[in-house]
Amino acid sequence: MGFELKRTGSDVAVYLDGRLFTTCVNSAEFKAPFMGPVLTGDGISFTRPDLHHKEHPHQRSVFIGIGDVNGYDFWNENGKPLGLIRAKSVDSSCDGETAAVTVKAVWQGRRGKPFLDEEREYRFSKAGGNAVRADISLKLTANYRDIKFGKTKEAGPLGIRVADEMRVKQGGRFVNSEGGVNEEGCWGKTARWCDYSGTIGGKTIGIAAFDHPGNERYPTAWHIRDYGLMALNNLYFKGGYKLKKGESIVYNFTICFWEESFDAEAFSVNI
């Protein structure tokens, strides 16, 4: 059956072989677009499914954010001053083998002051076995003013919040491409990929995230925590980043959502 897309308003649900895999959420009900929750073939959530959680409420499944953009907070739920990412247009395409959702958005203050224009694409495909690949492309353009991304721990730009049952204190673990294990071995370290996994309902599942060689200051440093956050973050560990008015920066990331087993190092040759 392959992939199928169903749209409701600005949200696009992604189905795989007749069952819901995830939803690309773009509604202004939330402070920024995100993707999630992400589900296994039998409906187990890879990511934290509660979209209004009291603990780190901004960490909604798979999300984009930076905690300091010219002093505005585009990471936290109640930052001061708060930055919002507002979808302006949403397009989608699907041929069964692959599916794509493209979002054009503006990064703005609460009262509408614009900072950045964004183009985001999610592209879905099967990755062999029981794995689904999500390629995320993010282009940020400083169309309105010079931009400074601050040296902030609260950044990705890509963040992923895994299901609570995958957290380290629940028996989960994560490893990186350099052999680091869990927060002690991975937090703040540079690595080409990190793979966070655990057992839910008797099944081992995981999320492997990959940086791309073309991204700035590759390989990325990781803000990855035992409590369930994994974020690809150069800004805190390698210093901030600046864009002159009119300049753009492009990030590409790949995430594989896998069931039963996955060889991240072998897969990395496809990045």
Side-chain angles (χ1 to χ4, degrees), residues 24 29 41 46 52 61 69 72 85 122 127 130 146 148 150 173 181 184 191 200-201 209 228 240 242-243 248 261 269:
C24 298
E29 173 189 349
F46 288 99
H52 297 282
S61 290
V69 180
Y72 278 70
I85 305 175
Y122 307 93
N130 292 318
D146 292 350
K148 179 181 178 181
R173 72 192 295 264
V181 179
E184 182 178 358
I200 305 177
K242 294 180 179 180
L243 294 175
S248 299
S261 65
V269 302

Side-chain angles (χ1 to χ4, degrees), residues 38-74:
V38 185
L39 306 175
T40 68
D42 51 6
I44 296 171
S45 186
F46 288 99
T47 58
R48 189 172 70 179
D50 186 347
L51 303 182
H52 297 282
H53 206 285
K54 291 182 180 180
E55 180 260 307
H56 295 102
H58 54 283
Q59 294 178 9
R60 294 188 174 96
S61 290
V62 179
F63 63 101
I64 299 292
I66 297 174
D68 181 358
V69 180
N70 287 16
Y72 278 70
D73 189 341
F74 289 86

Side-chain angles (χ1 to χ4, degrees), residues 16 62 72 90 93-94 98 123 130 149 193 227:
L16 176 57
V62 179
Y72 278 70
V90 179
S93 62
C94 184
T98 62
R123 183 168 293 274
N130 292 318
F149 301 125
W193 54 261
Y227 73 74

Side-chain angles (χ1 to χ4, degrees), residues 1 3 5 22 64 68 71 87 92 107-108 130-131 141 144 155 183 185 192 196 218 231 235 243-244 260 263:
M1 295 176 64
F3 288 96
L5 300 178
T22 193
I64 299 292
D68 181 358
S92 61
W107 293 39
Q108 65 181 54
N130 292 318
T141 303
Y144 307 98
E183 190 171 319
R192 293 170 291 119
Y196 212 128
Y218 172 88
L235 297 177
L243 294 175
K244 292 290 188 181
E260 299 176 357
D263 188 335

